Amino acid sequence: MSKRILIVGSGGREHAIAKALDQSPQVDRIYLAPGNPGVLANTQKTQLVAIDPGDFDSLLGLVDQEEIDWTIVGPEKVLEAGIVDAFRQAGQTIVGPSQAATQIESSKYFAKQVMAQAGVATGSFRLFNQDKRDEVEDYITSLPLPIVLKKDGLASGKGVYICQTHEEALSKAQDLLDTPDQDLIVEEFLDGEEFSHFALVNESHVISLGLARDHKRAYDGGKGPNTGGMGAYSPVTDQDQALSQEIVDQIVQPVADQMKDLGQPFTGVLFTGLMRVNGQFYVIEFNARFGDPETQVLLPRLETDLVDLLQAHLNQAEAQVDYRPGSSLGVILASAGYPGQVDDGKDLNWAGEVDQANLVYSGVAENQGQLVTKGGRILMVQAMDASLQASRQQVYDILAKQDVEGSFYRKDIGL
Ligand code: AMP
Ligand code: GLY
């Protein structure tokens, strides 16, 4: 039967999910609450509904009224606020973790405890609260450089500080401890190759969606502040399938089993951020949702209908994930100043024809029938071609035509 699906969220990740579902013959209508107007530029079955993602009553009202079959949640904030619990109580089918299970992302300390119990490798760490100022100083002074500091809570990838000197670490640690209700994690620096793994997890049932890699720093050469992500590509190596299996066996499955044993089973998308050091995977973090911008490059690779994968996930049924051959790569066009303050309302001009199929919109609004910028990450240009090199070329050829005042993008994604 043809499905009606609601996607909660407004960014590029949500647009990418909508694009994938739009291609499925099993999907009848796609609702985005609130989505962004760029979504309408390259999808057929979508419609935007002006409901705030935090307004669960109105979302449930929409689901009732439109006879929506499944809801998929993008942003972590909504998960942390308990949307999945609210939908389950109302008897609605939703893809995402409960509020309790979302702690795997929202509390780094919770995640560390689960990993310790499950025997999963991660950087060694200590947690400090405001009463432990003196101990922080002693501890930081005793550590080798660089020193990793993290806030214990949701930070959209922007809550990590890698300090190159003890002075910098001490001063940053005091700053973080001055923030009310904010514990501090001091973590061992892991020096290796970074991977992101995506899986649909339903209690002990795991479907691996494979690997992607994003570029978190704002500027070329990995310089500048950490952002939500400036570009991504997938697959990451020619060994992705073997590596994904290793990651599922060593990390995702034990963590899923442990959360089930704890009485806080995880359901939804489990995104594992990993560092491979001397052949061994260490977990950097878990996220309880699809990544942004990883989803924009990962989903176009799927040959298997996303609806079939979601159905298998919900039914805990066997699933075969097939990929189209080739590599997918995407680069984010961002507003000047991102990840800090930006100016909105710039026209989205292109010098020449651009195929909308290559665009995934995130920070855009409509002004008199035209798309304008609204936010830090404006859009992704994404392409899939026979090789990473060929998809890079396509993407940068398109980006060369953009003419958005004050925007910037990294020139070295996938290099
Ligand atoms: P997170 O928000 O935890 O994903 O961290 C953002 C980025 O900081 C990661 O993608 C890594 O590049 C880096 N990072 C975080 N923790 C560590 C660590 N322990 N060692 C080295 N790099 C790290
Ligand atoms: N790209 C990292 C994230 O979605 O958190």
Side-chain angles (χ1 to χ4, degrees), residues 148 150 157 160 162 187-190 194 216 275 284-285:
V148 181
K150 297 184 176 183
V160 178
I162 299 178
E187 194 177 67
E188 168 192 11
F189 179 78
L190 297 167
E194 218 174 321
K216 286 209 168 66
M275 198 72 88
I284 293 183
E285 62 161 354

Side-chain angles (χ1 to χ4, degrees), residues 214 216 228-229 271 287 289-294:
D214 80 338
K216 286 209 168 66
F271 161 174
N287 295 312
R289 49 167 178 86
F290 274 119
D292 190 335
E294 293 90 336

Side-chain angles (χ1 to χ4, degrees), residues 118 203-206 252-262:
E203 305 206 333
S204 278
H205 180 265
V206 176
V252 182
Q253 192 68 58
V255 163
D257 293 343
Q258 180 61 29
M259 289 185 73
K260 191 177 175 194
D261 286 353
L262 283 173

Side-chain angles (χ1 to χ4, degrees), residues 26 34 38 41 44 93 99 169 223 230 250 272-273 297 331 406 414:
Q26 304 182 73
Q44 308 303 315
T93 304
Q99 193 173 36
K223 296 202 169 58
M230 295 298 291
Q250 292 174 13
T272 312
V297 296
V331 177

